[in-house]
């Protein structure tokens, strides 16, 4: 299994997060609504591909070839990711078009900080704890 692909995907996801944060935390984020929506949609695609690869390749290998500790860890990571993925889908559905962003502009900064904080924490956790078993 090639760990390089997962790390490159994490880097690409982080780059999109950084762009969205930069656009969101400007003086008037409403003026950047179209750009924010574009990057939210791009990020959603990148996350979808990454999660699909994990579900199709990473977790099955860890569950099949790992010792009991690794299997337990992989199962826990898979379970945790379900909730985070669902939370991101809600964020994406709320902010993937300029009109939706303008409608929810008062919550944009808080929601962005919340979901991206969780995603960034998850990426760090995967790289430090889970990927060492690959």
């Amino acid at each position: 299994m090639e760990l390089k692909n997962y790390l490159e995907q994490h880097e690409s996801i982080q780059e999109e997060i950084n762009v969205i944060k930069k656009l969101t935390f400007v003086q008037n984020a409403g003026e950047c609504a179209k750009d924010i929506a574009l990057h939210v949609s791009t990020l959603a695609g990148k996350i979808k591909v990454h999660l699909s690869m994990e579900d199709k390749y990473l977790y099955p290998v860890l569950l099949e070839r790992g010792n009991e500790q690794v299997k337990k860890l992989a199962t826990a990571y898979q379970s945790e990711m379900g909730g985070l993925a669902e939370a991101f889908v809600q964020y994406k559905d709320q902010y993937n078009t300029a009109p939706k962003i303008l409608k929810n502009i008062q919550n944009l900064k808080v929601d962005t900080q919340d979901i991206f904080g969780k995603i960034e924490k998850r990426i760090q956790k995967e790289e430090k704890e889970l990927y060492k078993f690959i």
Side-chain angles (χ1 to χ4, degrees):
M1 179 176 307
E2 185 64 38
L3 183 58
K4 179 183 170 198
N5 291 332
Y6 295 102
L7 295 171
E8 287 174 351
Q9 288 173 357
H10 279 178
E11 186 176 322
S12 181
I13 289 167
Q14 186 63 59
E15 288 170 0
E16 284 299 323
I17 287 173
N18 292 343
V19 170
I20 295 166
K21 282 180 171 179
K22 183 178 178 184
L23 293 169
T24 299
F25 290 96
V26 296
Q27 186 73 21
N28 188 353
E31 293 176 6
C32 301
K34 283 175 110 174
D35 289 332
I36 293 169
L38 172 67
H39 286 283
V40 166
S41 294
T42 300
L43 176 61
K46 290 179 179 193
I47 288 176
K48 184 176 181 177
V49 167
H50 181 72
L51 295 179
S52 175
M53 282 184 63
E54 285 184 338
D55 287 344
K56 190 172 180 179
Y57 302 109
L58 176 68
Y59 292 116
V61 167
L62 293 175
L63 292 170
E64 182 180 303
R65 298 181 191 163
N67 62 33
E68 287 307 311
Q69 177 191 5
V70 172
K71 289 178 182 181
K72 203 180 258 189
L73 186 64
T75 301
Y77 268 71
Q78 246 183 331
S79 177
E80 287 174 12
M81 194 61 225
L84 181 54
E86 190 175 303
F88 177 73
V89 167
Q90 290 174 355
Y91 173 88
K92 181 216 27 127
D93 289 346
Q94 194 167 12
Y95 299 110
N96 65 346
T97 68
K100 289 179 184 179
I101 289 170
L102 295 172
K103 181 180 175 185
N104 295 300
I105 197 78
Q106 68 280 1
N107 297 319
L108 177 64
K109 291 179 182 178
V110 171
D111 292 346
T112 297
Q113 193 69 27
D114 179 53
I115 193 66
F116 291 162
K118 291 175 182 173
I119 292 171
E120 290 170 322
K121 185 176 180 179
R122 172 60 184 234
I123 287 172
Q124 291 172 359
K125 188 175 173 185
E126 282 182 1
E127 290 180 2
K128 289 180 182 175
E129 295 178 9
L130 187 65
Y131 287 0
K132 69 182 178 183
F133 293 108
I134 297 175

